[in-house]
């Protein structure tokens, strides 16, 4: 009935009145129905609780201090009494200043504004103002276009700098990313030289899949990038490759990788929906973008799916260079792989170029054996893990020796298992050592230790390697407040043991281990300070004339 | 013949003029102070400033007419000045009671101004009575 509805509306419209009586206000009463510690104004505290307090966290509760006369609630503890009790006094506080507020005709002057209660009339306006993931008092400041025209530096030269959003014709190069929740927000700009990888969830529906912009390839490549900010030179985004992912997850690379494929509905599936975009931007050393390419992963969405996960990545490469991920700049960063390399054959002198190992080429990195579930050494060939700076690792496998095995091939196989196919000869001393600087590379010292130290072991008896221990000695280098890790010495120790001939039909299992240990050999640092300035005063030569 | 112009009225008008300059500057400065320290939205600041400037505009003819009327012993300018005084009193009462923020200094200044107006009005009525008869 209408009157009940009106009453309900009337109830909803009246917000609870703000409490302004200082005797009832308590700032430290945070726990509901429980006594807060040291809160003398808490109504939930009993006299026994007050006797346990040592001090009052809130001694005075007043209104605005600018008022000429106001009531103030004063709470204190009388520690002389036994047991200590709380004293509550309501006093008149007087502000002696001549500029105290005598009266005010503006109710909101002294109290915080009560928020607007949503009603059917103002709901749309409130939703528009506060309904997004972010809101601010001045909505114009979130306008992307004005941001594009007002970069942080007013007198910026015409080039991109680190972190500046990459500009396109309309606004920015968008890299959808999760904001606040996991849902994709298209308002995240890609920063120049900021390599990012994001994953977010987008809500989809198969019926409308060809009208959802974010699922189509065009959305990601239709705006051209400005080569320098605020210029008219455009760089088109080309399609580098397209990988199609089938419903069961198998990915195939399309040979005709530059044909535009738009999403469409086929047999209750939405095919050619964008599941991932990988941007590769090439720039010059003057901060200008010269090339942009995007690699897509397209997939199919089934009818039941209400949301899909999209992943986005952007990486920046300088022109005419190979992207070599650094392991630190300059000192090694814990967790990044150790960079290693070889001195190529045919170069006689040490002042020659080394081929630095690329991280993508796993076979020429410094690696150790990676334990597998079968723990069989001979089956484990090929499973290697890169050595990461600062992470001590130990791994191993078990070797089954039968009587039929011959010594020499077995020793060679085990050495391959321990060291890998191409064990490097040099290790970079800094995380960013360049291949041309020969002095920045540390040679790996190889040691062979035999387990049996007893000299009566015949030389001709079979020695097989059973463990490889890599010890990396590093030191702290540079300033005291920002020390950089520098590798000083790498020693690879191969321990061998004698293989006794087994009687036929007998087997032995021996464990093979490999380990990496990082040792900090920094010498204790002494801070050095600038010398105190000395005062150099000399009296003039004839100061005591005519007495001297 | 004896002089009908009222000397106390003349003195009071003179002092009132000087006091009013001080009152105007002090009230303006306090409004500026209030707008910086407190939350003073524009739709409340505008009427208060308008009242203050209106009072300043009224004060100049009011004092001039008072001086002229008293010195020339004419009751018409004095009567007009009395009428303008009523307007000034209303504006001063507004600033005393209905401003957005009434500071203690505001109360003192306005109370002093209102008492000066009251005394002035009394002396003007007496002077008019003396001139007419």
């Amino acid at each position: 009935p209408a009157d009940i509805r009106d009453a309900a509306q009337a109830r909803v419209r009246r917000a609870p009145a703000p409490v302004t009586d200082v005797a009832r206000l308590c700032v430290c009463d945070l726990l509901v129905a429980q006594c807060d510690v040291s809160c003398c104004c808490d109504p939930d505290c009993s006299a026994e609780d007050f006797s346990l307090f040592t001090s009052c966290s809130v001694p005075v509760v007043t209104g605005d201090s600018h008022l000429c006369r106001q009531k103030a609630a004063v709470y204190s503890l009388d520690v002389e009494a036994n047991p200590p009790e709380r004293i509550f006094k309501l006093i008149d506080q007087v502000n002696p200043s001549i500029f105290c507020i005598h009266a005010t005709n503006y109710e909101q002057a002294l109290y915080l504004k009560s928020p607007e209660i949503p009603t059917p009339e103002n709901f749309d306006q409130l939703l528009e103002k506060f309904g997004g993931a972010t809101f601010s008092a001045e909505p114009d400041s979130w306008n992307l276009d004005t941001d594009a025209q007002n970069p942080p530096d007013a007198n910026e030269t015409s080039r991109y700098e680190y972190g500046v959003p990459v500009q396109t014709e309309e606004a920015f190069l968008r890299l959808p990313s999760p904001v606040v929740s996991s849902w994709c927000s298209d308002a995240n700009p890609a920063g120049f030289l900021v390599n990012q990888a994001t994953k977010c969830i987008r809500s989809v529906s198969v019926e409308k899949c060809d009208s959802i912009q974010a699922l189509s390839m065009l959305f990601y490549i239709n705006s051209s990038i400005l080569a320098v900010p605020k210029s008219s030179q455009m760089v088109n985004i080309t399609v580098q490759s397209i990988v199609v992912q089938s419903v069961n997850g198998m990915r195939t690379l399309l040979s005709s990788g530059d044909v535009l494929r738009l999403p469409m509905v086929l047999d209750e599936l939405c095919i050619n929906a964008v599941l991932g975009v990988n941007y590769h931007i090439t720039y010059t050393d003057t901060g200008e973008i010269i090339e942009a390419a995007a690699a897509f992963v397209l997939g199919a969405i089934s009818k039941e799916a209400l949301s899909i996960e999209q992943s986005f990545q952007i990486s920046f490469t300088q022109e005419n260079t190979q992207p070599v991920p650094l392991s630190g700049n300059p000192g090694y960063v814990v967790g990044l792989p150790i960079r290693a390399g070889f001195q190529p054959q045919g170069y006689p002198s040490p002042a020659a170029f080394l081929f630095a190992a690329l991280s993508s080429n796993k076979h020429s990195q410094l690696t150790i054996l990676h334990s597998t579930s079968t723990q069989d050494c001979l089956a484990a060939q090929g499973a290697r893990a890169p050595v990461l700076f600062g992470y001590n690792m130990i791994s191993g496998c078990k070797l089954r020796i039968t009587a039929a095995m011959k010594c020499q091939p077995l020793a060679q196989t085990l050495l391959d298992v321990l060291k890998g196919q191409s064990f490097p000869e040099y290790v970079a001393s800094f995380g960013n050592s360049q291949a041309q600087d020969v002095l920045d590379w540390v040679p790996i010292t190889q040691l062979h230790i035999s387990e049996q130290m007893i000299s009566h072991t015949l030389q001709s008896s079979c020695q097989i390697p059973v463990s490889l221990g890599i010890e990396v000695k590093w030191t702290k280098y540079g300033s005291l407040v920002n020390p950089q890790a520098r590798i000083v010495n790498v020693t690879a120790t191969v321990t061998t043991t004698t293989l006794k001939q087994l009687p036929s039909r007998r087997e032995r299992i021996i464990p093979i281990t490999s380990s990496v240990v990082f040792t900090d050999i920094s010498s204790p640092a002494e801070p050095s300070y600038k010398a105190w300035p000395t005062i150099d005063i000399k009296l003039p030569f004839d100061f005591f004339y005519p007495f001297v | 013949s004896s002089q009908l112009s009222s000397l106390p009225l003349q003195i009071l008008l003179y002092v009132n003029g000087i006091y009013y300059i001080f009152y105007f500057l002090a009230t303006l400065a306090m409004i500026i102070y209030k707008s910086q320290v407190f939350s003073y939205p524009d739709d409340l600041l505008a009427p208060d400033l308008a009242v203050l400037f209106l009072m300043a505009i009224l004060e100049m003819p009011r004092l001039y007419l008072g001086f002229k009327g008293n010195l020339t012993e004419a009751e018409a300018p004095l009567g007009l000045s009395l009428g303008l005084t009523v307007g000034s009193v209303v504006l001063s009462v507004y600033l005393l009671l209905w401003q957005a923020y009434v500071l203690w200094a505001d109360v003192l200044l306005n109370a002093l101004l209102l008492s000066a107006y009251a005394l002035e009005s009394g002396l003007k009525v007496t002077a008019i009575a003396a001139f007419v008869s």
Side-chain angles (χ1 to χ4, degrees), chain A residues 71-126:
Chain A
K71 286 238 173 285
V74 178
Y75 299 94
S76 60
L77 281 176
D78 181 13
V79 288
E80 306 291 322
N82 187 11
E85 53 184 32
R86 175 200 76 164
I87 304 176
F88 165 64
K89 281 202 289 259
L90 206 59
I91 61 170
D92 270 326
Q93 201 180 47
V94 172
N95 184 349
S97 161
I98 199 171
F99 298 116
C100 63
I101 299 178
H102 183 254
T104 164
N105 292 306
Y106 169 45
E107 299 83 45
Q108 293 160 339
L110 306 171
Y111 306 108
L112 294 172
K113 209 166 77 149
S114 299
E116 268 183 77
I117 300 288
T119 61
E121 292 83 46
N122 65 4
F123 188 79
D124 290 317
Q125 178 228 16
L126 284 179

Side-chain angles (χ1 to χ4, degrees), chain A residues 459-510:
Chain A
Q459 281 289 81
S460 59
S461 69
C462 185
Q463 298 273 334
I464 53 164
V466 285
S467 89
L468 169 70
I470 301 178
E471 191 182 359
V472 180
K473 294 198 180 83
W474 63 279
T475 176
K476 293 200 190 85
Y477 185 83
S479 70
L480 259 186
V481 295
N482 189 14
Q484 304 295 314
R486 177 189 188 173
I487 292 184
V488 176
N489 186 315
V490 179
T491 310
T493 311
V494 176
T495 312
T496 60
T497 184
T498 333
L499 180 65
K500 287 197 278 288
Q501 194 62 23
L502 286 171
S504 60
R505 293 183 182 283
R506 293 289 290 274
E507 299 189 329
R508 233 177 97 196
I509 296 185
I510 48 174

Side-chain angles (χ1 to χ4, degrees), chain A residues 64 66 68 96-106 108-110, chain B residues 30 37-39 41 44 97-105 107-108:
Chain A
D64 193 328
H66 283 111
C68 288
S97 161
I98 199 171
F99 298 116
C100 63
I101 299 178
H102 183 254
T104 164
N105 292 306
Y106 169 45
Q108 293 160 339
L110 306 171
Chain B
M30 280 199 291
V37 171
F38 306 124
S39 121
L44 289 175
L97 294 179
W98 298 311
Q99 257 189 95
Y101 293 91
V102 181
L103 303 184
W104 185 236
V107 171
L108 288 175

Side-chain angles (χ1 to χ4, degrees), chain A residues 207-227:
Chain A
E207 296 85 45
K208 300 203 293 278
C209 90
D210 45 0
S211 61
I212 300 179
Q213 268 199 322
L215 290 179
S216 130
M217 276 172 68
L218 269 183
F219 181 67
Y220 300 101
I221 59 172
N222 66 349
S223 51
S224 342
I225 299 180
L226 302 180

Side-chain angles (χ1 to χ4, degrees), chain B residues 41-115:
Chain B
D42 285 343
D43 53 353
L44 289 175
L45 183 60
D48 291 351
L49 278 177
V51 163
L52 184 64
F53 280 96
L54 190 61
M55 212 160 98
I57 292 171
L58 274 185
E59 192 71 8
M60 289 182 291
R62 192 188 76 94
L63 284 174
Y64 172 74
L65 286 170
F67 276 123
K68 182 163 170 231
N70 193 24
L71 291 175
T72 57
E73 295 177 9
E75 57 275 356
L78 219 49
L80 212 54
S81 177
L82 200 57
L84 288 176
T85 306
V86 172
S88 286
V89 162
V90 167
L91 294 177
S92 177
V93 164
Y94 174 92
L95 287 178
L96 177 63
L97 294 179
W98 298 311
Q99 257 189 95
Y101 293 91
V102 181
L103 303 184
W104 185 236
D106 275 323
V107 171
L108 288 175
L109 285 174
N110 280 297
L112 209 55
L113 194 67
L114 280 174
S115 50

